[in-house]
């Protein structure tokens, strides 16, 4: 006699230098919709990756039980055979294939290796009906909108007899209407006995649909409550409420004249029609401007578009110290004095196979070259200087960037941009994946820069970081700034409110 | 202060492999392989492939490829021969026209690859066919020969032994001085350096190799012009790849194109530039080949692209991009040519020649990958 269909007990997971999950307990009743909430980086995705077998048994601590039997998943396939299906934010559908091919992908109905198309169509039609989708399964998947594709993904899961359905931010890319339709289908599925784990940042939806809610924070289970015992404010408090420590050294400073002004900035997305629409803001000398918001709100896309690295088309004006800039490519933006340390340092920041020295000088080679020949002595001196100033821990500047820890890699990226002597430095998630000690050092570096007169923009999904580091906070929701708050008036609850679309 | 033994050795793996191959061939041919005459011949045979491999290394470093080098080299050679023989132009003018042709073909490749984003594999596969056709067109399907004495000398003449001796001495002196200065510079900045005895041994060994090389060449009429050309180009491109903004950006583009682009590097322009330069290098390679054979034939350079790519890869260039050295590739070219030369001396059946070359390519890359994992 046990009331749980799934229980994950004492789950712990460590990555080098980070404890992602610490003794997490998570139990789900049959045929309920169970919401899993928490800030970005709280450990939700890690927990689900353990459940789905992406992190196989042995790489984590604790036990997983389904129907009271312990399961040790070694691969996603094993997890799937136990009736668990995960529908990721980035849909795992193959754009070039038809709906029926997508539904049967990895699970083809075949006789002696030859696909039985009749049976495949029957299966596809049956499972599409189950999610209320009335389309011809022969159509290519790309004919469908994102919402309908989402439903196909669910249909695919159902066709494999999934009993526990995990949805990771399913409505992030959906319109209101599509979301409502999806939620209705989830309720129908619940009525048919399917259990559903629902991960979402949209708290309204969570309260709309969930039976019970589990909150994760910093890799720990904070609480599991019935929906009726909670309201939105209580939930936010559970999500963000952490002990206040002096993790954020801050100097007193006064903002000077406007350095950067962006007017009516509009960016058109290359794939779907989501845009950054008519964004305007000002940045002053000697201030740290924070950009808060949920992942996918458009903050990264906004700053990347200053470097013409993102967006099909860009409209609007950008003034640096009163002069309008014509932004042709990343080179011209950097040359005018704006630098961006991007969010994914391994993908966009570093050449991992090259040494610290070459990484630091990468964006400034023209400066230390005469007649196009790099002055190696100058290069070494600069690299040594930034290694010392930023306290990069390394035996030598000839160490490969790929061999450094996350915090030191981030400092190398910072060194690269400091060497370009920017007037405006944009830091996108400057402390992601970095341990607490190195974080404080990065905050100190930001303070030093601001004292030297550099204007800094910090994009962060960590609310306490935004509050601790910035002087002024812009909150973005779906490609627009919803509010401009001085830090004195800001609280985590307020930011969450505006970030989730509140007025 | 520690450079591990493995890392130290890895740098010289291919050099050691080359010496090993030479030893085997020397024994199998009762010393004919290492005779001054044969070695001089070997270097001369390597020259055309080596020149093109120098450029191919940088192309592969940027995660691109060029399959058309055989056809383009043959075309450039045919153009020169046509101008020199059929039109009666002096060698200088014919060379100039061939160089411009190479630059233009490079620009054509660069345009499609960098600005039209057609994969390099396809663009150059197309050119492989296009210029093989062009070779047939310009030669009318027949060999053009013989070339003027001036042109022929590129592939068949030698520096006088006296001059060769002086050049050898100069090269050795420059090498020693440069190494000492470099070591002092590194010590000044507190970088790791090998222990002094190892450093001295290394310098002495390289000096001995230089001395041996020039002595052998001098015993056989002196250093061939074509070999001087290869060495000069290798020095030039080694400098370009390690010390100029352009070269350094190429490595960054290959190592991480997104990071390079966000660091303000104009990736398209640099790739375009590289192909233009590479076009000229390919033309030079084609002329060396034509001069050595003293004829432009319709089948010249067939299969050369594979030798060139294999040489670059054996020399340590990574097809994943971002990694590769000019000198490594020159040694790779020498390994490939040594296999050809040695097996021909041994009168090995052509069937086995191909099989052995293929196996060695596979083995060399596997050894490289296997040793890389451990470090």
């Amino acid at each position: 006699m046990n009331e749980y269909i799934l229980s994950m007990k004492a789950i712990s997971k460590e990555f080098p230098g980070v404890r992602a999950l610490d003794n997490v307990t998570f139990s789900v009743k049959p045929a309920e919709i169970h919401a899993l909430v928490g800030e970005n980086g709280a450990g939700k995705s890690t927990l689900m990756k353990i459940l789905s077998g992406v992190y196989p048994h042995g790489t984590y601590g604790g036990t997983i039980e389904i129907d009271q039997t312990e399961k040790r998943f070694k691969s996603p396939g094993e997890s799937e055979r136990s009736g668990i299906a995960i529908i990721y934010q980035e849909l795992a559908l193959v754009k070039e294939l038809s709906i029926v091919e997508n539904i049967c992908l990895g699970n083809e109905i075949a006789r002696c290796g030859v696909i039985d198309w009749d049976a495949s169509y029957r299966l596809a039609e049956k499972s599409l009906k189950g999610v209320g989708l009335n389309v011809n399964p022969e159509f290519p998947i790309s004919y469908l909108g994102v919402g309908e594709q989402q439903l196909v993904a669910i249909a695919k899961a159902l066709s494999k007899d999934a009993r526990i359905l995990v949805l990771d931010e399913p409505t992030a890319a959906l319109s209101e209407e599509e979301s409502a339709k999806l939620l209705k289908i989830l309720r129908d599925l619940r009525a048919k006995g399917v259990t559903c784990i629902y991960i979402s940042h949209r708290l309204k939806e969570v309260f709309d649909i969930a039976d019970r809610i589990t909150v994760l924070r910093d890799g720990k289970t904070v609480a599991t409550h019935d929906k009726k015992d909670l309201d939105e404010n209580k939930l936010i408090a559970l999500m963000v409420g952490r002990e206040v420590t002096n993790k954020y050294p801050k100097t007193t400073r006064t903002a000077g004249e406007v350095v950067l002004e962006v007017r009516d900035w509009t960016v058109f997305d290359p794939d779907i029609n989501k845009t950054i629409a008519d964004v305007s803001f000002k940045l002053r000398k000697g201030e740290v401007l924070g950009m808060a918001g949920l992942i996918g709100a458009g903050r990264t896309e906004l700053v990347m578009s200053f470097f013409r690295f993102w967006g099909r088309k860009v409209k609007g004006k950008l003034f640096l110290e009163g002069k309008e800039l014509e932004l042709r490519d990343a080179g011209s933006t950097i040359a005018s004095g704006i630098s961006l340390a991007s969010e994914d340092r391994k993908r966009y920041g570093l050449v991992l196979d090259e040494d610290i020295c070459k990484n630091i000088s990468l964006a400034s080679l023209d400066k230390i070259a005469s007649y196009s020949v790099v002055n190696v002595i100058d290069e070494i001196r600069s690299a040594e200087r930034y290694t010392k100033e930023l306290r990069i821990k390394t035996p030598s500047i000839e160490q490969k960037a790929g061999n450094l820890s996350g915090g030191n890699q981030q400092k190398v990226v910072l060194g690269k941009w400091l060497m370009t002597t920017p007037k405006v430095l944009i830091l996108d998630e400057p402390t992601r994946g970095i341990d607490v000690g190195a974080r404080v050092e990065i905050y100190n570096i930001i303070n030093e820069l601001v004292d030297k007169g550099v204007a800094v923009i910090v994009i962060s999904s960590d609310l306490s970081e935004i509050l601790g580091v910035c002087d002024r906070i812009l909150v973005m929701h779906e490609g627009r700034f919803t509010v401009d708050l001085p830090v004195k008036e800001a609280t985590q609850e307020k930011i969450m409110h505006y970030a989730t679309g509140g007025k | 202060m520690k450079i591990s033994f493995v890392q130290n050795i890895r740098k010289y793996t291919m050099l050691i492999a080359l010496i090993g191959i030479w030893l085997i061939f020397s024994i199998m041919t009762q010393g004919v392989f290492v005779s001054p005459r044969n070695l001089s011949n070997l270097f001369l045979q390597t020259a055309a492939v080596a020149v093109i491999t120098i450029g191919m290394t940088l192309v592969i470093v940027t995660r691109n490829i060029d399959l058309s080098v055989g056809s383009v080299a043959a075309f450039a050679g045919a153009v020169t021969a046509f101008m020199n023989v059929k039109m009666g132009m002096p060698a200088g003018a014919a060379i100039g026209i061939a160089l411009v042709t190479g630059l233009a073909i490079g620009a054509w490749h660069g345009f499609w690859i960098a600005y039209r984003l057609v994969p390099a594999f396809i663009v150059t596969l197309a050119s492989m066919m296009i210029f093989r056709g062009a070779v047939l067109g310009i030669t009318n399907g027949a060999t053009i020969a013989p070339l003027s004495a001036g042109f022929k000398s590129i592939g068949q003449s030698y520096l006088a032994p006296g001059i060769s001796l002086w050049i050898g001495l100069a090269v050795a002196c420059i090498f020693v001085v440069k190494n000492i200065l470099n070591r002092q510079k590194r010590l000044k900045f507190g970088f790791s350096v090998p222990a002094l005895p190892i450093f001295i041994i290394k310098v002495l060994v390289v000096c001995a190799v230089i001395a041996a090389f020039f002595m052998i060449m001098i015993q056989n009429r002196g250093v061939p012009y074509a070999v001087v050309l290869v060495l000069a180009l290798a020095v030039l491109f080694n400098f370009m790849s390690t010390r100029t903004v352009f070269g350094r950006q190429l490595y960054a583009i290959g190592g991480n194109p997104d990071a390079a682009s966000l660091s303000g590097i104009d990736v398209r322009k640099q790739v375009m530039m590289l192909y233009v330069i590479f076009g000229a290098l390919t033309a030079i390679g084609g002329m060396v080949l034509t001069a050595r054979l003293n004829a432009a034939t319709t089948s010249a350079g067939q299969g050369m692209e594979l030798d060139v790519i294999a040489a670059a890869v054996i020399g340590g260039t990574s097809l994943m991009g971002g990694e590769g050295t000019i000198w490594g590739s020159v040694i790779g070219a020498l390994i490939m040519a040594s296999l050809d030369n040695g097996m021909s001396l041994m009168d090995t059946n052509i069937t086995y020649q191909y099989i052995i070359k293929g196996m060695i390519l596979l083995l060399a890359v596997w050894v490289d990958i296997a040793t890389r994992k451990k470090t």
Side-chain angles (χ1 to χ4, degrees):
Chain A
M1 169 72 210
N2 192 306
E3 57 175 332
Y4 296 120
I5 182 171
L6 164 73
S7 52
M8 301 177 78
K9 291 177 187 161
I11 303 286
S12 297
K13 168 85 188 165
E14 266 181 60
F15 295 109
V18 196
R19 200 174 177 92
L21 292 177
D22 187 5
N23 208 11
V24 167
T25 299
F26 180 58
S27 304
V28 182
K29 292 176 188 170
E32 74 167 344
I33 295 179
H34 193 126
L36 185 61
V37 299
E39 284 184 290
N40 299 325
K44 295 166 297 189
S45 298
T46 311
L47 188 66
M48 289 305 111
K49 279 183 182 160
I50 287 174
L51 179 61
S52 66
V54 171
Y55 299 135
H57 178 80
T59 63
Y60 60 88
T63 56
I64 301 174
E65 285 179 11
I66 290 174
D67 296 329
Q68 292 87 58
T69 21
E70 191 186 339
K71 297 280 178 184
R72 297 180 170 186
F73 300 134
K74 292 213 174 57
S75 69
E78 287 185 23
S79 160
E80 213 173 83
R81 281 192 285 282
S82 296
I84 294 165
I86 303 217
I87 290 150
Y88 290 101
Q89 220 168 328
E90 311 287 327
L91 289 172
L93 297 172
V94 183
K95 275 185 189 163
E96 289 77 12
L97 298 184
S98 71
I99 297 173
V100 58
E101 283 167 321
N102 265 292
I103 287 179
C104 297
L105 190 65
N107 221 358
E108 289 83 358
I109 308 171
R111 216 176 289 131
C112 312
V114 180
I115 291 186
D116 181 346
W117 285 110
D118 290 341
S120 304
Y121 278 107
R122 278 197 297 278
L123 178 76
E125 261 167 6
K126 195 182 123 207
S127 37
L128 285 174
K129 207 173 280 170
V131 296
L133 201 57
N134 191 17
V135 290
N136 185 343
E138 271 178 279
F139 282 174
I141 199 87
S142 50
Y143 277 33
L144 304 179
V146 189
E148 288 171 317
Q149 289 188 18
Q150 192 82 252
L151 293 178
V152 172
I154 295 175
K156 178 179 176 176
L158 295 177
S159 78
K160 290 187 236 172
D161 296 319
R163 293 180 302 140
I164 303 175
L165 204 56
V166 182
L167 296 128
D168 189 358
E169 294 279 355
T171 58
L174 302 190
S175 68
E176 294 271 315
E177 221 171 298
E178 288 173 319
S179 302
K181 194 173 167 195
L182 177 73
L183 295 188
K184 184 183 165 295
I185 285 163
L186 292 184
R187 281 193 201 95
D188 292 348
L189 289 175
R190 173 174 58 186
K192 287 179 197 158
V194 176
T195 311
C196 185
I197 298 170
Y198 191 84
I199 301 176
S200 180
H201 279 298
R202 296 192 177 176
L203 300 184
K204 226 181 77 205
E205 278 173 18
V206 167
F207 278 99
D208 201 5
I209 194 170
D211 300 304
R212 294 197 306 147
I213 300 169
T214 292
V215 182
L216 287 187
R217 188 208 308 151
D218 296 340
K220 295 188 178 108
T221 320
V222 178
T224 299
H225 287 294
D226 281 347
K227 176 173 71 182
K228 59 180 189 310
D229 300 334
L230 285 173
D231 60 29
E232 207 161 320
N233 286 337
K234 271 191 201 160
L235 184 58
I236 289 176
L238 285 174
M239 282 164 66
V240 299
R242 69 189 82 184
E243 328 87 270
V244 184
T245 49
N246 194 14
K247 283 196 293 194
Y248 303 102
K250 199 166 180 177
T251 50
T252 47
R253 53 202 174 217
T254 44
E257 72 273 24
V258 172
V259 181
L260 176 75
E261 185 181 355
V262 172
R263 260 188 232 159
D264 302 326
W265 196 259
T266 302
V267 184
F268 298 90
D269 188 294
D271 295 330
I272 45 175
N273 227 2
K274 203 175 89 178
T275 54
I276 290 176
D278 293 327
V279 166
S280 301
F281 70 92
K282 286 179 186 170
L283 174 68
R284 292 171 188 283
K285 198 172 176 175
E287 81 170 340
V288 180
L289 175 66
M291 289 188 181
L294 301 174
I295 287 174
R299 297 165 297 166
T300 298
E301 290 79 357
L302 171 67
V303 295
M304 286 275 214
S305 72
F306 296 158
F307 296 82
R308 298 310 311 266
F309 197 75
W310 191 88
R312 181 165 43 85
K313 220 172 94 188
V314 169
K315 268 197 328 207
K317 291 182 172 168
L318 189 145
F319 300 87
L320 188 71
E321 295 179 326
K323 264 187 289 180
E324 183 173 355
L325 296 187
E326 203 190 317
L327 306 176
R328 294 185 309 275
D329 52 26
S332 68
T333 310
I334 295 165
S336 8
I338 306 176
S339 287
L340 165 68
S342 58
E343 134 187 70
D344 188 340
R345 59 181 166 267
K346 284 189 178 156
R347 179 155 169 216
Y348 294 122
L350 295 168
V351 183
L352 293 170
D353 278 334
E354 288 197 342
D355 61 25
I356 295 175
C357 181
K358 285 181 181 162
N359 270 290
I360 288 182
S361 64
L362 184 58
S364 318
L365 285 175
D366 283 325
K367 274 190 193 167
I368 50 166
S370 44
Y371 302 106
S372 260
V373 176
V374 177
N375 184 333
V376 180
I377 303 272
D378 274 1
E379 183 183 24
I380 293 171
R381 289 221 172 93
S382 308
E384 292 271 357
R385 190 182 132 210
Y386 290 109
T387 306
K388 207 169 289 166
E389 272 181 26
L390 301 173
R391 296 171 288 272
I392 298 171
K393 284 182 208 82
T394 172
S396 126
I397 59 170
E398 289 193 315
Q399 184 72 239
K400 275 188 185 181
N403 294 341
L404 299 174
S405 71
N408 281 312
Q409 285 184 347
Q410 186 69 349
K411 288 179 183 174
V412 173
V413 174
L414 281 177
K416 174 170 85 173
W417 294 119
L418 293 185
M419 194 170 161
T420 64
T421 55
K423 296 173 184 126
V424 174
L425 179 61
I426 305 170
L427 305 171
D428 192 353
E429 301 287 358
T431 62
R432 172 174 293 174
I434 292 176
D435 64 82
V436 179
R439 279 181 189 215
V440 175
E441 288 191 46
I442 300 230
Y443 301 142
N444 280 324
I445 292 165
I446 294 176
N447 287 336
E448 282 165 30
L449 285 175
V450 173
D451 290 342
K452 282 183 198 155
V454 179
V456 177
I457 295 176
V458 173
I459 296 178
S460 176
S461 298
D462 180 343
L463 290 180
S464 50
E465 174 171 290
I466 284 271
L467 287 168
V469 175
C470 304
D471 303 308
R472 198 155 59 84
I473 298 162
L474 292 170
V475 183
M476 187 169 257
H477 174 70
E478 292 180 354
R480 288 161 205 272
F481 286 125
T482 43
V483 72
D484 181 346
L485 288 169
V487 74
K488 280 185 205 109
E489 294 168 25
T491 61
Q492 299 199 355
E493 288 78 4
K494 247 191 202 172
I495 293 175
M496 263 302 202
H497 173 76
Y498 288 109
T500 48
K503 293 268 149 46
Chain B
M1 289 291 131
K2 56 174 187 221
I3 297 180
S4 79
F5 182 69
V6 177
Q7 271 171 318
N8 235 334
I9 286 295
R10 241 205 79 197
K11 261 179 145 176
Y12 302 103
T13 321
M14 290 307 153
L15 203 53
I16 294 165
L18 178 66
I19 293 166
I21 288 168
W22 283 12
L23 272 177
I24 292 168
F25 280 135
S26 305
I27 296 164
M28 307 274 274
T29 60
Q30 282 97 33
V32 177
F33 184 82
V34 279
S35 67
R37 195 183 139 76
N38 187 57
L39 284 180
S40 179
N41 209 359
L42 168 65
F43 291 129
L44 206 46
Q45 282 171 354
T46 314
V49 168
V51 167
I52 300 175
T53 306
I54 287 170
M56 184 67 88
T57 306
L58 295 176
V59 167
I60 296 177
V61 157
T62 61
R63 300 190 184 182
N64 284 298
I65 196 77
D66 192 332
L67 299 176
S68 71
V69 289
S71 299
V72 173
F75 180 66
V79 167
T80 335
F82 182 80
M83 295 297 166
N84 189 236
V85 178
K86 301 262 158 126
M87 311 291 285
M89 272 191 191
I95 291 170
I97 289 173
L99 277 178
V100 172
T101 309
L103 287 170
I105 294 171
W108 165 258
H109 289 164
F111 166 76
W112 286 104
I113 294 163
Y115 289 97
R116 287 291 170 269
L117 305 179
V118 180
F121 190 96
I122 301 300
V123 173
T124 58
L125 182 63
S127 284
M128 185 179 171
M129 302 179 202
I130 293 168
F131 290 102
R132 185 55 62 187
V135 170
L136 290 172
I138 201 164
T139 58
N140 245 333
T143 300
I144 304 180
L147 288 106
S148 73
F151 184 80
K152 211 167 64 180
S153 65
I154 299 173
Q156 297 189 350
S157 296
Y158 303 79
L159 284 177
I163 299 170
S164 301
L165 185 65
W166 284 110
I167 289 180
L169 281 175
V171 169
C173 287
I174 291 169
F175 179 81
V176 172
V177 171
K178 213 178 150 272
N179 264 273
I180 292 174
L181 286 180
N182 195 25
R183 184 183 166 85
Q184 281 173 343
K185 199 164 75 190
R186 291 180 62 89
L187 280 172
K188 191 176 139 209
F189 286 108
F191 287 173
S192 56
V193 290
L196 193 60
I198 293 178
F199 172 76
I200 291 172
I201 290 170
K202 188 188 132 191
V203 170
L204 285 180
V205 166
V206 177
C207 282
V209 170
I210 293 172
F213 173 79
F214 280 93
M215 289 315 292
I216 290 165
M217 292 295 123
I218 288 163
Q219 279 182 41
N220 184 65
R221 301 204 278 179
V223 187
Y225 283 177
V227 173
V228 176
L229 180 69
V230 171
L231 293 177
L233 284 172
V235 168
L236 179 71
F237 275 79
N238 185 54
F239 178 81
M240 192 194 82
S241 69
T242 55
R243 292 288 304 278
T244 66
V245 175
F246 176 63
R248 296 281 292 272
Q249 292 189 342
L250 293 180
Y251 280 82
I253 290 169
N256 187 342
D258 284 334
S261 173
L262 266 175
S263 295
I265 295 171
D266 191 337
V267 175
R268 288 182 298 186
K269 191 181 117 198
Q270 302 301 55
V271 170
M272 171 90 190
M273 279 283 291
L274 175 59
Y275 269 97
V276 171
I277 293 170
F278 186 39
L281 267 181
T282 310
I284 293 173
M287 287 187 276
V288 170
L289 184 68
T290 310
R292 185 168 68 81
L293 300 175
N294 192 18
T297 65
T298 53
S299 63
Q302 254 172 10
M304 195 191 211
E305 59 282 341
L306 301 179
D307 276 343
V308 169
I309 294 167
V313 170
I314 285 180
T317 310
S318 163
L319 287 168
M320 309 294 286
E323 231 175 308
T325 62
I326 302 299
W327 287 110
S329 292
V330 171
I331 289 173
L334 204 48
I335 288 180
M336 293 300 285
S338 299
L339 292 173
D340 277 338
N341 178 296
M343 288 191 290
S344 298
L345 281 184
M346 285 167 60
D347 227 352
T348 313
N349 188 321
I350 190 79
T351 314
Y352 298 114
Q353 290 201 20
Y354 275 115
I355 293 175
I356 290 170
K357 274 168 77 179
M359 292 305 290
I360 284 182
L361 171 65
L362 189 63
L363 206 70
V365 176
W366 173 72
V367 167
D368 186 50
I369 289 170
T371 51
R372 193 172 302 223
K373 255 186 204 158
K374 283 174 201 145
T375 54

